Amino acid sequence: MNMQPNIFLVGIAALAVSSLSACSSEPSPHDQKLMEERAAREAAENKQPDTLMSIAEANSDLSTLTLAVGASGVGEELNGQGPFTGFAPTNAAFEKLGKDRLAELLDAEQKEDLAQIVKFHIVRGSLTSADIEKAIADGGGTTILLTEQGGQITASRDGGNIVLTDS
C-alpha cells in the first residue's frame, strides 16, 4: 500500500523538565511572583505537545486518528516509553476506508486489530523528514523503518516527496 498522500510526520518526544539551581539570596515576594508569572507565561507560549494523543488532538485534521488511537489503547500502552515518530493518517486518508470499514475497525471487539494498525504507523525514535531523507540517501535510494507493530515501512523519494510503502 502506498501511503504517500495525507500523511503527517509527527515526532513524539518525552517531556523534558529543567531545574534551576538555587540562588544565594532569596528574592522578595514581589520578585518571586514576577518570576513565577514570567515562567508560567513562557511555558504556555513554548508548550509543545509531547504525546501522540496531544499532537493529534491539537490538529483538527487528525481527529479520526485521535479516535482510533484512543479506541485501540495504543496511546496508553506507549505512554512514557518514547520518543516515537508517528506517520499520522489524516481524516481524508481514513475516509478512503469507507464509513462501514472505519466503523468496523472502531468496534470494541476489533481493539486488537486496530492496535496493530495504529502501531504500524509508529516507529521508535524522534525522526524528522530531514532524518528520513538522509537515511534514504545513505541507503542508496531507500531506507527501512521498523514499526512498533513489527512490520517494515520502506521510505524512498519520488521527486520532492518522501514515499512510504508497507511491506
Side-chain angles (χ1 to χ4, degrees):
M1 167 173 56
N2 185 330
M3 300 182 336
Q4 179 182 358
N6 304 315
I7 300 288
F8 283 103
L9 176 63
V10 182
I12 306 165
L15 180 62
V17 179
S18 62
S19 61
L20 301 174
S21 57
C23 298
S24 59
S25 62
E26 293 290 321
S28 69
H30 175 71
D31 288 342
Q32 181 66 35
K33 181 178 178 187
L34 289 176
M35 289 188 316
E36 290 172 358
E37 288 173 355
R38 180 178 178 187
R41 185 175 58 252
E42 288 176 355
E45 290 171 3
N46 294 321
K47 173 125 177 75
Q48 295 292 318
D50 63 347
T51 65
L52 179 59
M53 289 302 285
S54 61
I55 291 168
E57 288 169 350
N59 185 327
S60 62
D61 200 32
L62 300 177
S63 60
T64 306
L65 174 67
T66 301
L67 183 62
V69 171
S72 72
V74 170
E76 291 176 22
E77 180 182 332
L78 299 179
N79 190 25
Q81 295 182 31
F84 296 101
T85 300
F87 299 99
T90 63
N91 292 343
F94 278 104
E95 287 172 8
K96 291 179 182 180
L97 291 174
K99 290 182 181 185
D100 292 340
R101 177 67 177 134
L102 183 58
E104 179 184 314
L105 284 172
L106 294 174
D107 185 286
E109 292 181 16
Q110 299 298 317
K111 184 176 181 175
E112 290 299 317
D113 291 340
L114 182 58
Q116 292 302 308
I117 292 169
V118 170
K119 286 181 184 180
F120 189 82
H121 291 79
I122 300 170
V123 297
R124 286 210 177 262
S126 180
L127 299 173
T128 65
S129 56
D131 296 330
I132 297 170
E133 287 177 355
K134 182 177 179 337
I136 291 168
D138 291 349
T142 63
T143 191
I144 302 294
L145 305 171
L146 302 177
T147 72
E148 284 298 295
Q149 176 264 354
Q152 295 181 349
I153 297 173
T154 301
S156 60
R157 298 207 30 93
D158 181 13
N161 296 318
I162 294 174
V163 176
L164 304 175
T165 307
D166 67 18
S167 55

